[in-house]
Amino acid sequence: MPELIGNIIVLALLALAVYGAVRSLLRKEKKGGCSCGGDCSRCGGCH
């Protein structure tokens, strides 16, 4: 049973990290931020 609780905690932390990353990307995109990181070879015309 303790290993099950440990797995649940780890999965919850991973889910929070993914949620935070997606939320950050969506906010940046909504503000008109560039998602190519300034690398014009990968850019889709966001500059």
Side-chain angles (χ1 to χ4, degrees):
M1 189 67 157
E3 58 274 347
L4 180 63
I5 293 172
N7 286 342
I8 290 171
I9 291 171
V10 169
L11 287 174
L13 290 173
L14 283 172
L16 283 173
V18 169
Y19 171 76
V22 169
R23 185 174 175 198
S24 173
L25 288 172
L26 290 175
R27 281 185 172 182
K28 187 184 287 186
E29 191 68 31
K30 193 174 193 180
K31 289 167 89 174
C34 185
S35 61
C36 66
D39 182 4
C40 292
S41 66
R42 297 184 332 175
C43 189
C46 57
H47 292 279

